[in-house]
Amino acid sequence: MSPYTKFEKARIIGARALQVSMGAPVIIDVPPTVMDPVDIAMLEFDNDVIPITIKRDTKEN
Amino acid sequence: MPSIIFKDTKKNIQTLTKKAPVKYAVEADIKPGITEAYVTFDKKVFTYRLRISAVDEYKEDTSVILKKQTGLKTTLSVEVVEPMDPIPLSQFRKGKKKLTEFSDFEEVELPRIEVVEKTNYMDSLSSEVKEILELAKKKNVEISVSMAEELTSYKKSLKPKQFDELLMRVAKDLESKRIDPFEAVGIIAAQSIGEPGTQMTMRTFHFAGVREMNVTLGLPRLIEIVDARRIPSTPSMTVYLKPEFEKSEDIVMNVVKELENTTVIDVADIVTDITQMLLTIRPDEAKMSERLVNHSDLLDALAKMKGITVISDASNNDIVVKPQQESFKRLYQVQEQLKLLTIKGVPGIKRAIARVDQVTKSWILYTQGSNLKEVLEIDEVDANRTYTNDIIEIAQVLGIEAARNAIYNESLRTLSEQGLEVDQRHLMLVADMMTFGGSVRAVGRQGISGRKSSVLARAAFEITTKHLLRAGLLGEVDPLTGVAENIIVGQPITLGTGAVNLVYRAFSK
């Protein structure tokens, strides 16, 4: 079971895809056929290399 | 264990309290062997308990305290006089019957309420269920107790390895059915109930038989539940009797008689004689037998009315009533009072019919009109199963948790009767939202939506200007915590992906 909820996963991939689309270096080797930044971000997420994580609130404030 | 109840004066009890243990002489014949006596001052509530060690015949003796000066018959050896929490007269039983009134002395029984300690929930489960839960824990998966109960039937027929596989698949399926945090459950619930709602038909249901009863069902009923109406359009009750009475037709018919609220006008004609200032009640035999009322019931009811003289005519069945104060106004008042005078039954219950359940062969009563509190007070009624469809009444009598369950059960039943399947969690959410504040609140402007704490959320719902103007005058502050407020100001909402806070993680694992 992934430690992330579906919303957290979507948010992380979205943020990373934005970085990649704006020219950030890709961390892992991706096959040359993969061009879409979202696909790249998803590959990176599956390999757990994205340097982004989640901060969860422990209580309402 | 028999005990006695009697009426006494405050003064007597005070002297008893001071001098106890002491002998006390009373004017009634009391059987020996009684150890407890309950004392009332007003014949309604009992506030003192006397512990009695012996009961003897009365002999003149200076040490004895006398209840009265004359007519004394028995001496009670009073050990202690204890003030206690008031007990109403209706708590006492005489020969398993509830007491409604009593003369000065009565030998009665006080049924004890047994307090049974609730067992630990996990201990109450069967060993098979516990075994499965244990296995799931070992496999590091979570399954609910109800699911484990269902799995017990497969445990025997499957090989251990197959069962493990089944368990894992069930756990995985349960996991996938879970809602993620920050899911917009309210919207999903609204849509999930709203869509089947469009397919509901406007239809009322009829009971078969001569005395027909209508119960609102379908869409009108669903709207009624959600609106939290004070009185539903067709309040009705399903009354079950205690198991020992369920199969006896005589007792059932007696309860029907006790339930149905019958007034004088239901069984008789009232004729007003203006010249002689008299009212004549002409009982209608056919109506009387249909309502299971007899002549003496009618007279008993009239005896309770004040300000009138009842003259029973022996030659025929007519009853003549004369107002004590002679005026046309009074005559009219008495006539109006007579019409609505209850002879028998529970107020609010217009009709009751008894039907035999085909499966269990036991009687179930259905009523038109609802009065949960008073119906539950009838001795033969099983308070655990008796049900009413009046949610507000349930909230008042049984509490808010019961009302929450009533909302859930009623809405689920209304939907499933039409063959519509809605996930129970949506209905639970609605029921919880309506009741979490401690009182039953409607969905809509009067209830949940109209009482949101945020101004902008209220303004977005209905009557925008009124809410904004009011908030401006009062200087309200909106912390922008909800969804509607954030949409209005153009921020990401605090739901779904909008509720996620990203932080930089320097090293990958």
Side-chain angles (χ1 to χ4, degrees), chain B residues 152-165:
Chain B
T152 50
S153 58
Y154 298 97
K155 178 95 190 180
K156 285 167 210 129
S157 55
L158 293 174
K159 286 178 202 144
K161 215 172 179 185
Q162 284 175 322
F163 186 78
D164 283 2
E165 177 65 21

Side-chain angles (χ1 to χ4, degrees), chain B residues 456 478-495 497-499:
Chain B
L456 292 175
D478 198 319
L480 302 181
T481 46
V483 176
E485 303 95 285
N486 281 303
I487 292 172
I488 290 170
V489 298
Q491 284 180 14
I493 58 167
T494 51
L495 271 185
T497 35

Side-chain angles (χ1 to χ4, degrees), chain A residues 1 5-8 10-12 15 48-55 57, chain B residues 175 180-184 481 496-497 500-506 508-509:
Chain A
M1 174 67 196
T5 69
K6 61 183 177 189
F7 303 115
E8 289 162 352
R11 186 76 175 79
I12 293 171
D48 198 17
V49 291
I50 298 178
I52 295 171
T53 189
I54 298 301
K55 189 178 143 221
D57 284 347
Chain B
E175 184 85 58
D180 277 318
F182 296 112
E183 182 80 71
T481 46
T497 35
V500 179
N501 293 314
L502 294 183
V503 286
Y504 175 64
R505 182 174 67 165
S508 61
K509 270 187 252 171

Side-chain angles (χ1 to χ4, degrees), chain B residues 316-494:
Chain B
N316 52 17
N317 271 330
D318 292 2
I319 302 164
V320 179
V321 173
K322 192 176 165 58
Q324 278 160 2
Q325 183 195 341
E326 283 208 356
S327 77
F328 287 114
K329 193 181 158 200
R330 182 72 192 135
L331 187 71
Y332 177 73
Q333 279 176 347
V334 169
Q335 189 206 328
E336 289 300 304
Q337 273 176 28
L338 269 181
K339 272 188 197 168
L340 299 173
L341 184 67
T342 305
I343 303 172
K344 281 233 132 108
V346 178
I349 308 280
K350 288 185 208 89
R351 257 179 183 181
I353 56 166
R355 305 183 88 213
V356 181
D357 188 88
Q358 291 304 320
V359 186
T360 57
K361 301 281 175 229
S362 49
W363 288 86
I364 301 169
L365 311 180
Y366 299 93
T367 70
Q368 211 180 78
S370 173
N371 190 338
L372 188 60
K373 192 173 172 228
E374 293 197 17
V375 169
L376 292 186
E377 274 174 15
I378 296 172
D379 265 355
E380 290 88 351
V381 169
D382 187 347
N384 287 325
R385 292 183 290 163
T386 295
Y387 189 71
T388 173
N389 69 357
D390 188 337
I391 289 159
I392 307 292
E393 195 174 28
I394 290 180
Q396 281 163 355
V397 178
L398 301 174
I400 195 70
E401 284 291 332
R404 181 259 181 203
N405 283 329
I407 293 170
Y408 167 66
N409 287 324
E410 283 286 312
S411 50
L412 187 69
R413 205 188 65 191
T414 314
L415 287 163
S416 57
E417 252 162 12
Q418 307 257 319
L420 303 168
E421 259 182 58
V422 174
D423 192 313
Q424 47 174 336
R425 287 178 286 179
H426 300 313
L427 301 173
M428 283 176 177
L429 182 71
V430 171
D432 283 336
M433 278 308 292
M434 285 174 70
T435 53
F436 78 96
S439 61
V440 181
R441 284 195 293 176
V443 178
R445 140 186 39 189
Q446 298 299 318
I448 299 166
S449 301
R451 290 199 211 154
K452 281 178 183 165
S453 57
S454 162
V455 201
L456 292 175
R458 266 181 285 131
F461 177 66
E462 259 179 4
I463 343 177
T464 313
T465 43
K466 186 189 131 189
H467 286 299
L468 291 180
L469 185 66
R470 210 181 128 75
L473 287 169
L474 296 176
E476 271 185 53
V477 175
D478 198 319
L480 302 181
T481 46
V483 176
E485 303 95 285
N486 281 303
I487 292 172
I488 290 170
V489 298
Q491 284 180 14
I493 58 167
T494 51

